[in-house]
Amino acid sequence: MSSSPRVAIIGAGIVGCSLADELVMRGWSDVVVIEQGRLFAAGGSTSHAPGLVFQTNGSRTMAEFARYTVQKAMSLTLDGQWCFNQVGSLEFAVTEDRLRELHRRRGFGEACGIDGRVIDPDETAALWPLVDRDAIVGAYHVPSDGLTKAVRVSEAQARRAMEGGARFLGEHTVTGIRTDDGRIRAVSTDHGEIEADIVVCAAGIWGPRIGAMVGMTVPLQPLAHQYAKTTVLPEVVRLAIPPDREDIHPIIRVQDRDLYLREHTDRLGVGAYGHTPMPIDPASLLHPTDAPVMPSVLAFTPDTFAESWGWSQAVVPALRGAEVRLEDGINGVFSFTPDGAPLLGESRDIAGFWLAEAVWVTHGLGVGKAMAEWLVDGGSPTDLHECDVNRFEPHQLAPAYIRERGIQSFVEVYDILHPLQPMEDPRPLRTSPFHAREAELGAVFLEGSGWERPHWYGANASLLDRYEVPTRDAWSGRYWDPIAGAEALAAREGVAIFDMTSLKRLEVSGRGALAFLDGLTTNRLDRPVGTVVYTLLLDERGGIRSDLTIARLAPDRFQVGANGNLDLDWLERHLRDDGSVRVRDITAGTCCIGLWGPFARDLLEGVTDEDISGPAFGYFKARELWVGNVPVTALRLSYVGELGWELYTTADLGTKLWDTLWAAGRPYGLIAAGRSAFGSLRLEKGYRSWGTDMTTEHDPYEAGLGFAVRMDKGPFLGRDALEGRSEATASRRLVCLMLDDRDVVLMGKEPVRRSGEAVGYVTSAAYGFSVDASIAYAWVPADAAAVGTHLSVGWFDRDLPATVTREPLFDPDMARLRS
Ligand SMILES: Cc1cc2nc3c(=O)[nH]c(=O)nc-3n(C[C@H](O)[C@H](O)[C@H](O)COP(=O)(O)OP(=O)(O)OC[C@H]3O[C@@H](n4cnc5c(N)ncnc54)[C@H](O)[C@@H]3O)c2cc1C
């Protein structure tokens, strides 16, 4: 008798099959995979995917998934037939902009251990003889990429899972999910009920329909995408490709033209994203028995393919006399999400209901592994926060948002996206109470989590007469203005207000609040009312789930400065049922101004009767006080490293708070400063940003946050995993780098090299205007972390020298903060 829970996986596409295999590998054999179609070309997206696997990705997590897909698929065969054909890949550049982008992508790959090279048109033509070498300016070549046979690799994994005890039920349609008391109990099918403790929805484009069975919104938009094969091409026949190989040359992407291509023995296949988006209502998807071909295959529309076909002919001369074989063309449907990332994890409301949705073939095997780790071990060594289905804010679950953003993800699939590029629509969504004032000051808004966030203010242009701000290269100068540098310098010299409303705020209260928070975090929270504590949430492995700033406002009431919805989710999951603790997201109903700079106290003293002198209101202390007519919760801390306060009030009084401070600030030259200045000031002080600088993949000692861990305080989640670890045992470190070159400001994710070989990657970067240096934080091996170590950073096609520097660069004695 197996002691593993009863797992029902809905869907035998590549995700369901991979997950079953990985679960069985880990000893969970009570697994049933329920599939409405006939196994294994069951009618979902996997059944007709041409299987191109390009591993390089700006997301380390996605690159890791893809790397695992390649590694595992290479090890599999089905009845002696290959599952992965490692022919390599070529991404063509038709434009110079794309060629630069390919260098950047090569850097992403290098930082993730994926080897590739940017090559010239002649070398490209040698690798793929069908290209018109005059139509391109270069290419990015990754030898380890290639083709997977999506159905074959699914079946190979399924067979292995079945050998280990898993059952696959083809032609069984899930019609409902029975829950009881917020828990999964069983799956109903057209052949009867199957009891289960865990249900994993791996139903691809049907995901929203399965989610609805338990009342869960699955933010996924199916869209049709065109793929067609040509008629037989003499030029391809001459390549003498063995039929069982199908393809012997690299797979191709032409992102400038929204195209990809591969060989099919004697012809080519062409995939296109250039056509008008074709969103499909999940409710309209047919059952396999009712679909003319397959439910995920819609009739090919040659007219919408015509432009892409013309573009293909421009790059591949062999296509000029050829035709599309209409009967081989499809409008195939697959999933897109608001931010392009998959949807993984457990429902907040129904225990045991999990999703593994919106996953490409490329990432399918990696996702299977990560999901199995999550289910069996409670978490994965791979950072999954970008994919966690609970990451979305409420507005992101609106049907209109899911549709609009899903379409946009389709449109942008091959676009060159700047890291700071905000979404265009729908905007504005969330505005702080200061928005009108900010707009009056000429704020340039970018968007984050739906919030309109000022990055700099046009009204501060005159500061450039006072401060000299270095220029920067074209890429790092996008979504930036020298005014931001002047704002940073002015904040260090005078005083500035920063709109911090978009930071997530939670209230944790009740008689059990202290014990609850203390048991989940690393620092000691049992301190007097009015104390603020910086602390960490860890997972069972000791990885950093988040960093929090917790203010004790009353014996049983805490205000928690958090990083996002996943923190709320984590806290809620750990709540007991006894009602002794309440967790409330207070972000939307409140607002926050950071009032920071050497004159912050002088200014605030003018608008409050309270004694806010250093001795009366010390560093990392919290008080409730009045600012003019406005009741405010004031926390004396600063992420920019200056004297000052975070001032919180309710949203209705936000404008009044702004106006009160603004009027009082005139004599001190108060300015409003934006997030661009904030980012620079933060990095000069070495303050880490969770999700970018550190994630669950890192422990506190590696991340330089050991000071926030009190091993002697008693038990807390993750403590056992930290036993025996320290700064001294860390095998890698988050370090501060200073670039020799001051014209470049890195953007994050660039490879860090030692003697030309990649050893790490950049997390955050900024120009430090007060220290006059281009700064980057980066993960490097411990033996490359000593101050003074010479390294370099890949920046497009350049290799920029950089030196490990003592941190923090600014005010290491904390004299300003404590003043
Ligand atoms: C034209 C086209 C080309 C593509 N090319 C590539 C490519 O080159 N590279 C790449 O990486 N990706 C590609 N993709 C994307 C890729 O195919 C999909 O993202 C991937 O196959 C999704 O796998 P899945 O297992 O999540 O979903 P699916 O393969 O759709 O599997 C879900 C299964 O769930 C079953 N199911 C649904 N509802 C129920 C129910 N109620 N009861 C029982 N069973 C149910 C379905 O029948 C289906 O078999 C392409 C997609 C298309 C359409």
Side-chain angles (χ1 to χ4, degrees):
M1 269 285 281
S2 158
S3 61
S4 64
R6 297 162 301 176
V7 183
I9 299 172
I10 305 173
I14 194 155
V15 176
C17 292
S18 303
L19 175 57
D21 184 34
E22 296 283 340
L23 286 174
V24 170
M25 256 190 241
R26 285 167 179 76
W28 278 20
S29 52
D30 200 342
V31 174
V32 56
V33 182
I34 308 164
E35 169 54 57
Q36 64 185 2
R38 190 172 299 163
L39 299 170
F40 280 91
S45 313
T46 304
S47 307
H48 50 77
L52 290 80
V53 176
F54 296 85
Q55 298 165 83
T56 306
N57 202 297
S59 154
R60 295 180 62 76
T61 302
M62 299 302 277
E64 180 56 35
F65 289 156
R67 266 163 47 111
Y68 185 75
T69 296
V70 170
Q71 183 197 323
K72 185 175 180 188
M74 290 271 291
S75 72
L76 295 169
T77 53
L78 186 80
D79 300 329
Q81 297 173 295
W82 59 270
C83 285
F84 194 80
N85 186 3
Q86 199 162 41
V87 287
S89 73
L90 286 167
E91 297 184 13
F92 292 167
V94 172
T95 61
E96 289 297 335
D97 274 354
R98 179 66 62 176
L99 190 59
R100 275 176 59 74
E101 173 69 1
L102 293 183
H103 280 289
R104 195 167 78 102
R105 285 178 59 73
R106 186 219 154 201
F108 291 156
E110 192 186 353
C112 298
I114 298 165
D115 284 337
R117 279 190 317 128
V118 176
I119 56 177
D120 66 20
D122 286 333
E123 202 175 338
T124 308
L127 286 167
W128 202 61
L130 297 174
V131 68
D132 177 353
R133 51 107 38 240
D134 295 328
I136 59 168
V137 292
Y140 168 48
H141 177 223
V142 177
S144 58
D145 285 345
L147 281 172
T148 188
K149 294 290 275 186
V151 173
R152 208 182 274 169
V153 84
S154 302
E155 185 169 354
Q157 294 180 96
R159 282 196 198 169
R160 191 159 66 187
M162 284 188 272
E163 281 165 22
R167 290 178 301 142
F168 278 70
L169 305 178
E171 296 169 273
H172 278 58
T173 300
V174 172
T175 52
I177 296 172
R178 182 158 64 79
T179 63
D180 177 22
D181 201 18
R183 276 216 70 85
I184 286 290
R185 299 294 169 194
V187 172
S188 313
T189 77
D190 53 353
H191 295 283
E193 198 175 75
I194 299 168
E195 292 197 341
D197 306 304
I198 291 171
V199 169
V200 185
C201 171
I205 50 179
W206 288 266
R209 280 169 44 174
I210 303 290
M213 293 177 184
V214 294
M216 180 178 185
T217 301
V218 177
L220 174 164
Q221 175 63 53
L223 280 119
H225 149 68
Q226 296 199 272
Y227 189 78
K229 289 181 191 162
T230 64
T231 47
V232 171
L233 296 177
E235 292 84 346
V236 181
V237 172
R238 274 200 290 277
L239 299 174
I241 302 171
D244 60 338
R245 288 282 307 279
E246 295 183 15
D247 187 326
I248 54 170
H249 294 102
I251 54 174
I252 307 295
R253 260 182 183 164
V254 198
Q255 287 105 318
D256 290 317
R257 302 289 178 253
D258 288 317
L259 291 173
Y260 63 87
L261 298 104
R262 56 159 288 189
E263 294 160 355
H264 287 278
T265 308
D266 56 4
R267 62 197 78 205
L268 293 182
V270 181
Y273 289 99
H275 52 84
T276 314
M278 305 176 203
I280 309 295
D281 180 355
S284 71
L285 294 169
L286 298 175
H287 190 269
T289 46
D290 302 327
V293 185
M294 281 181 176
S296 59
V297 171
L298 306 180
F300 186 61
T301 46
D303 49 331
T304 55
F305 194 71
E307 196 173 20
S308 300
W309 182 239
W311 286 331
S312 324
Q313 290 172 322
V315 183
V316 185
L319 295 179
R320 289 175 198 161
E323 281 173 30
V324 179
R325 232 177 86 96
L326 290 181
E327 54 275 37
D328 277 348
I330 58 168
N331 289 2
V333 187
F334 72 113
S335 309
F336 290 81
T337 58
D339 56 9
L343 309 171
L344 312 181
E346 190 185 21
S347 150
R348 280 171 81 158
D349 302 316
I350 304 294
F353 184 72
W354 291 71
L355 292 184
E357 285 287 325
V359 180
W360 286 34
V361 165
T362 301
H363 310 114
L365 281 60
V367 164
K369 171 171 174 276
M371 286 293 298
E373 289 165 342
W374 201 346
L375 284 160
V376 176
D377 306 330
S380 168
T382 305
D383 162 38
L384 298 178
H385 85 274
E386 292 171 348
C387 310
D388 193 317
V389 66
N390 296 301
R391 66 188 179 274
F392 296 104
E393 294 284 332
H395 69 272
Q396 294 178 296
L397 299 178
Y401 187 94
I402 296 167
R403 188 182 144 91
E404 200 169 336
R405 296 303 307 160
I407 291 172
Q408 195 58 25
S409 294
F410 174 92
V411 170
E412 288 175 351
V413 73
Y414 284 165
D415 285 2
I416 300 174
L417 297 177
H418 190 274
L420 292 175
Q421 187 170 325
M423 69 177 195
E424 282 168 26
D425 291 307
R427 277 182 71 191
L429 276 168
R430 307 171 89 185
T431 53
S432 84
F434 319 127
H435 187 259
R437 297 290 183 267
E438 292 163 349
E440 281 162 25
L441 293 172
V444 174
F445 294 99
L446 301 183
E447 179 272 346
S449 299
W451 289 100
E452 294 296 317
R453 305 192 300 187
H455 271 242
W456 65 88
Y457 292 86
N460 291 330
S462 59
L463 291 176
L464 289 169
D465 301 336
R466 205 163 5 128
Y467 300 107
E468 205 170 314
V469 175
T471 54
R472 46 180 75 176
D473 79 318
W475 183 255
S476 39
R478 270 198 222 175
Y479 304 102
W480 183 78
D481 191 287
I483 294 172
E487 288 175 2
L489 290 166
R492 289 252 185 267
E493 240 177 60
V495 59
I497 49 178
F498 295 77
D499 181 353
M500 305 303 291
T501 303
S502 62
L503 298 187
K504 192 82 167 172
R505 288 174 290 291
L506 310 174
E507 185 187 76
V508 179
S509 60
R511 63 190 151 76
L514 172 64
F516 171 71
L517 286 173
D518 212 41
L520 286 179
T521 60
T522 57
N523 211 334
R524 206 161 60 76
L525 293 179
D526 189 7
R527 313 227 188 158
V529 170
T531 307
V532 184
V533 175
Y534 177 77
T535 186
L536 307 172
L537 288 177
L538 303 183
D539 64 14
E540 298 280 357
R541 294 181 166 70
I544 306 172
R545 266 204 73 100
S546 190
D547 63 340
L548 307 176
T549 307
I550 302 186
R552 189 170 195 181
L553 301 179
D556 288 343
R557 183 163 59 90
F558 296 82
Q559 181 172 311
V560 178
N563 282 299
N565 245 15
L566 293 182
D567 298 332
L568 174 64
D569 181 54
W570 186 251
L571 295 189
E572 285 182 342
R573 279 175 196 282
H574 287 89
L575 279 178
R576 286 219 220 99
D577 291 339
D578 62 6
S580 62
V581 184
R582 284 180 303 281
V583 178
R584 212 158 57 92
D585 185 347
I586 56 169
T587 317
T590 57
C591 57
C592 176
I593 288 179
L595 175 72
W596 293 316
F599 294 120
R601 181 179 289 124
D602 299 317
L603 189 160
L604 195 59
E605 273 172 348
V607 285
T608 187
D609 297 335
E610 300 276 333
D611 180 1
I612 58 164
S613 63
F617 198 157
Y619 183 55
F620 261 72
K621 293 287 183 257
R623 291 250 295 275
E624 280 165 347
L625 45 81
W626 297 94
V627 173
N629 294 306
V630 182
V632 156
T633 301
L635 310 190
R636 197 179 143 199
L637 45 97
S638 156
Y639 282 102
V640 304
E642 292 295 334
L643 170 67
W645 286 265
E646 288 180 0
L647 302 172
Y648 295 88
T649 192
T650 49
D652 55 334
L653 288 164
T655 314
K656 187 67 187 166
L657 176 62
W658 179 284
D659 290 345
T660 307
L661 295 171
W662 193 252
R666 291 219 159 262
Y668 305 101
L670 175 71
I671 60 156
R675 289 200 70 82
S676 187
F678 176 87
S680 157
L681 297 167
R682 161 182 92 78
L683 226 55
E684 284 183 333
K685 270 302 286 175
Y687 290 139
R688 277 74 168 137
S689 173
W690 186 84
T692 306
D693 295 318
M694 70 279 187
T695 66
T696 49
E697 293 187 6
H698 311 106
D699 79 25
Y701 304 112
E702 296 168 329
L705 296 173
F707 67 87
V709 181
R710 295 276 182 278
M711 290 296 277
D712 57 358
K713 79 165 193 174
F716 59 86
L717 207 165
R719 185 188 179 286
D720 293 350
L722 294 189
E723 203 73 67
R725 296 198 217 173
S726 67
E727 266 90 13
T729 63
S731 60
R732 56 190 172 167
R733 290 284 177 81
L734 184 63
V735 296
C736 179
L737 299 177
M738 226 185 227
L739 267 62
D740 289 3
D741 193 321
R742 283 161 202 248
D743 299 340
V744 171
V745 180
L746 303 175
M747 287 286 144
K749 304 186 175 178
E750 296 84 1
V752 176
R753 302 176 183 137
R754 176 170 52 187
S755 309
E757 198 185 314
V759 291
Y761 61 95
V762 172
T763 58
S764 299
Y767 197 86
F769 299 97
S770 320
V771 298
D772 205 12
S774 186
I775 314 166
Y777 272 75
W779 282 101
V780 297
D783 64 2
V787 169
T789 306
H790 293 293
L791 301 168
S792 65
V793 179
W795 176 247
F796 294 91
D797 55 348
R798 296 168 64 192
D799 189 47
L800 305 176
T803 307
V804 179
T805 310
R806 193 175 306 284
E807 59 154 342
L809 295 170
F810 186 78
D811 190 23
D813 303 328
M814 311 274 282
R816 287 174 165 249
L817 275 168
R818 294 183 192 282
S819 62

